[in-house]
Amino acid sequence: MAMSWSGTFEKIAEYKFKIPRHYKPGMRVDGIIYADERLLASIKKDNAPEQVANVAFLPGIVKYSLAMPDIHWGYGFSIGGVCATDPASEGVISPGGVGYDINCGVRMLSTSLTLEDIKDRISKIVDALYQNIPSGVGSKGQIRVSYQEEKRVLLEGARWAVSRGFGIKDDLESCEEYGAIEDADPDSVSERAYERGKPQCGTLGSGNHFLEVQVVEDIFDRSIAEKLGLSIGQITVMIHSGSRGFGYQVCDDSLKMMGKCISKYAINVPDRQLACAPINSPEAKAYIGAMRAAANYAWANRQILMHLTRQSFEKVFSKSWQSFGMNLIYDVAHNIAKFEKHMIDGREKTLCIHRKGATRAFGPGNPALPSKYRDIGQPVIIPGDMGTASYLLVGTNQAEEESFASTCHGAGRLKSRHEALRTISFESLIKELKSKGIEVRATGKKTIVEEAPSAYKDVNEVVEVVHQAGLSKKVCRMRPLCVVKG
Amino acid sequence: MMEDFEFFEHTADVGVRVTGKTLNELFANSSKALFKLLVDSPLKQNKKREIQLEAQTLEELLVNWLNELLSIFFAEKFLPLEYNIRIEDNPQSKNIRGVILGEEFNPYENKINMEIKAATYHNLRVEHNRDGYTAEVIFDV
């Protein structure tokens, strides 16, 4: 286990703990972690708070280095970290603040099916999904793309997928950035990334990526749930995946390039993994263009995965997916850097918001939201572990004011993968899941054990913190029925 | 060549501690550890590949080396097995040059054990001691 953190926090509000700027010379701002006392105790068990302090070194950082309650130790940035930098004050962009899996994210679909409709067919559904959706390490997609077509994927994201018949135009309205971020630059992407991207478009991947069929088991905000067409007993689907080997290669290429920027631009950071470059530098421009290309790759990927999910349901029910209303509620990115307008001390500024394991949470009225969500706020999708629950939340105006419109992204890891393998047995885990009525299909036993519920923090607790702290608002909780893992 | 490495735990990732009597051994053993995580018992050596990398520090060279091989594995479908490499540890620059023997291995058709995104710079260490060299690398998985 990683060494524990020996620093001390200052409690500045309910659910808010500060690492003061004087904790470490070189910090430009305070660090702030959103948590309750119980979560804080587990957060201190590894060195993640030190990483929150390290991020505070970044030139041009605005207000504070933030971490959400699902924070755990990553590399460079902690997972669950949020940081805003100001391009007008020599602010930097750091590939470590996005991570290797660029635009790892989640999408959630509603259906008009109820638990009653599917309870005898859950095995059939999970088998169909497992057969139809390429998953596992190094899995290969059914869709072959040429070099020219891959370029289109990088520019057009989910829009490309829809143009190829994987879904419908309406899906795009329910995606962050409408399924494709502007100004991606396919020419800033290495040949190797193209090569690694080619076989993997439309694949789930492994590790914590999954596809789940869920049932709504609790509703916290009736009127918003109603607006989203959700009620208790209703079946939903959640898909968690990212930009696959393409994104890893883009991140690695960029870190190599930016490693040189630390000395070139005389930047002082305590960890090499925090390599960064001034936002207006040519190196940053190249990274931003390539990172956006990878983000679009991920949106295309999740769009294809959703299409394959719809097909699988069609097969099981011998009906079109439209007939059981399999509509996309929303798609969020939780590993990304974006330029957004935020109010800082009464003035609007365009800042670079790094979200590394954190979700955008725009509140009601935000002009970036599609009109159908403008009165309720942005849907925020929080996947939990496969034995507990997942949540649908909405963003708030308070999040816009205090956390650069950011909230948590999941349960957050508690045990290392090794520790999970050592302490949890495959047989007892499957038995436990079965007793809860959850069926699992995966390419490897190991992945299932590594992703066991007890390897994660309690998602209920994490979500309660962001809800109580006002960073987002609980709408409903979904319980897993069946899971496809890599 | 001595094969010497052990894996250690890190919340979301996997770390490896590697030793080698010489730098050449250290780098070869690091790569062996990486591919031990990915692939069970490789078979034949039927391909050759030249490699040449340069960096400012040994740490950086080690991460570049591992990520280069990982990237070659996924992009060129080349699984490295034996290393005929030479590391030059000059004050101004560090470089690695040599030939790798390996086999053609398609990671999209054959089973691989886990997804490794990259070797990271996080808590990266390369140390020279009485018995040779030790390195610690954390892989993002």
Side-chain angles (χ1 to χ4, degrees), chain A residues 162 167-175 310 327-328 372:
Chain A
V162 168
I168 55 168
K169 277 218 168 94
D170 281 356
D171 296 335
L172 301 173
E173 213 200 14
S174 302
C175 277
R310 284 168 169 169
N327 297 319
L328 180 58
K372 62 177 176 179

Side-chain angles (χ1 to χ4, degrees), chain A residues 340 342 355 359-362 399-407:
Chain A
E340 293 170 1
H342 289 273
R355 295 191 183 95
T359 314
R360 192 186 74 178
F362 281 154
E400 292 177 352
E401 281 156 29
E402 65 172 85
S403 63
F404 307 107
S406 307
T407 188

Side-chain angles (χ1 to χ4, degrees), chain A residues 23 55 65 115 142 230 248 257 262 277 285 306 367 378 389 409:
Chain A
Y23 166 68
V55 167
S65 159
L115 184 55
Q142 300 153 355
L230 294 170
Y248 313 160
M257 169 180 74
I262 295 182
K285 289 211 165 86
M306 177 174 75
Q378 177 210 308
H409 87 305

